[in-house]
Amino acid sequence: MAVAGIACERQAPARSNDTTSLTTPPPDSVVTVIDVPAAAWDSAAGPIFLVIGANPQQAAVIVPGLDTTASLDTVDFKVDAYRAMPVELFANGRRLGTASLGPAISIDVPEDCSAWPVVGLTGTDTSTWTVAFRTDRFQPLTIDSLPELTRADSLKQVMELARVASAAPGDTVEALKGLPFVVKRAYSTRLPNGIPMVIAEVSRALNQEANPIQEHLLLIAERDTTRARDLRLAYLERSAGGEETLESSELLLAGVPRGRTEPVVLLARYVGDGVVYALLERQPEGRWRLRWSSPYAGC
């Protein structure tokens, strides 16, 4: 098994209110997803969600009625329909407060770019929120990141994630076989049924000067209830290519939408200047699937 190391967890870059949006993803990357085809957004999570803007009193409005096939620069957003909507603010799986949507804010979008609409928020002074949903739509799951664990627990989790990544199917990049995996980010939580779960981003690289190759794995692993010491792979995305084409995933929220029994995970995926949001959904048999992806955002 390849030996894994812990990479210093970098702070996810703040996404300002003038973040712009790509209408097509970057080319020249190879992606393998062990999954079923994406379906529609889960309406139980609400008609919109928000991500923090240039400051805590501004928010980008993400409209999940649009999926990855849409182009943001062709959409006439009607955000006034959500004026005064009450929302709950979250970070690291914790409720931080409430706010209401204010008027739309004009933003400068460069030519050939597109962006989600931006609104003001009223009724909050918190500076640490990450994502917001309509009030009473989400029961969050508390999230712990890898650096928040004890040294012994962190080391144990890194070794387990390396084992899961090394055994994952679809390893087709011959030049990278046998190279160690590095844990870039890892988040742990417990499902509503009490089963421990880990969401992780791991990578390995061949840093040859002429043609550097990198591979990223996004995986969800759950503790095997029949073998308490083992993590079981429940979801995998594998991408390989140059550094400029590979994405980095940030966990925004994990929780259970109102009226549902199975949890979901909301991710922000970053490639270069672009961002796409994705909702993963757990199935009753313990597998996860991609439920929804937003249009690709950037220039």
Side-chain angles (χ1 to χ4, degrees):
M1 181 182 71
V3 178
I6 305 176
C8 294
E9 183 185 37
R10 65 173 176 86
Q11 183 68 26
R15 302 291 152 176
S16 65
N17 69 310
D18 60 354
T19 297
T20 52
S21 309
L22 280 173
T23 56
T24 56
D28 302 326
S29 62
V30 178
V31 179
T32 300
V33 180
I34 299 174
D35 202 44
V36 299
W41 173 262
D42 188 345
S43 61
I48 62 170
F49 65 91
L50 310 177
V51 294
I52 192 168
N55 60 63
Q57 282 70 50
Q58 295 183 4
V61 181
I62 314 303
V63 183
L66 302 174
D67 63 19
T68 189
T69 63
S71 297
L72 294 183
D73 57 357
T74 65
V75 179
D76 182 16
F77 291 101
K78 304 294 186 182
V79 294
D80 284 345
Y82 307 109
R83 186 84 174 265
M85 176 187 288
V87 295
E88 292 180 303
L89 310 175
F90 299 93
N92 297 322
R94 297 172 177 86
R95 288 188 179 92
L96 300 181
T98 60
S100 296
L101 274 67
I105 297 174
S106 178
I107 58 175
D108 183 19
V109 182
E111 189 177 357
D112 298 326
C113 298
S114 57
W116 292 105
V118 174
V119 299
L121 289 182
T122 60
T124 177
D125 58 358
T126 182
S127 60
T128 56
W129 73 278
T130 302
V131 64
F133 281 83
R134 188 169 186 169
T135 301
D136 296 329
R137 290 285 177 160
F138 243 94
Q139 179 60 45
L141 300 176
T142 300
I143 301 296
D144 293 315
S145 63
L146 192 60
E148 295 171 336
L149 303 176
T150 66
R151 182 177 178 83
D153 287 343
S154 294
L155 181 59
K156 177 182 178 182
Q157 194 163 99
V158 164
M159 294 177 65
E160 286 186 299
L161 289 170
R163 177 188 60 78
V164 172
S166 297
D171 187 357
T172 59
V173 185
E174 195 67 33
L176 296 177
K177 289 185 177 180
L179 293 180
F181 283 97
V182 175
V183 179
K184 309 293 287 186
R185 298 183 187 185
Y187 310 89
S188 62
T189 187
R190 283 186 177 271
L191 299 173
N193 58 12
I195 295 176
M197 179 183 79
V198 180
I199 304 165
E201 184 180 53
V202 303
S203 66
R204 57 183 176 176
L206 181 61
N207 295 318
Q208 52 191 6
E209 184 174 351
N211 184 30
I213 303 173
Q214 295 191 34
E215 182 183 43
H216 284 192
L217 273 65
L218 173 69
L219 58 87
I220 296 178
E222 298 180 7
R223 188 69 60 188
D224 192 329
T225 55
T226 62
R227 301 176 61 184
R229 296 175 56 187
D230 291 339
L231 285 175
R232 174 186 61 82
L233 182 64
Y235 183 82
L236 172 69
E237 293 180 11
R238 184 190 295 272
S239 61
E243 182 177 2
E244 70 282 355
T245 67
L246 290 177
E247 70 181 38
S248 175
S249 298
E250 177 190 2
L251 174 62
L252 297 180
L253 187 67
V256 182
R258 185 180 66 181
R260 302 289 191 251
T261 58
E262 293 293 343
V264 297
V265 165
L266 181 66
L267 301 173
R269 310 178 192 264
Y270 305 118
V271 179
D273 294 329
V275 59
V276 63
Y277 300 99
L279 188 75
L280 306 182
E281 177 185 64
R282 191 177 191 270
Q283 304 298 288
E285 68 274 13
R287 304 290 295 180
W288 288 74
R289 69 162 183 162
L290 176 65
R291 173 78 188 242
W292 166 85
S293 289
S294 75
Y296 201 93
C299 287

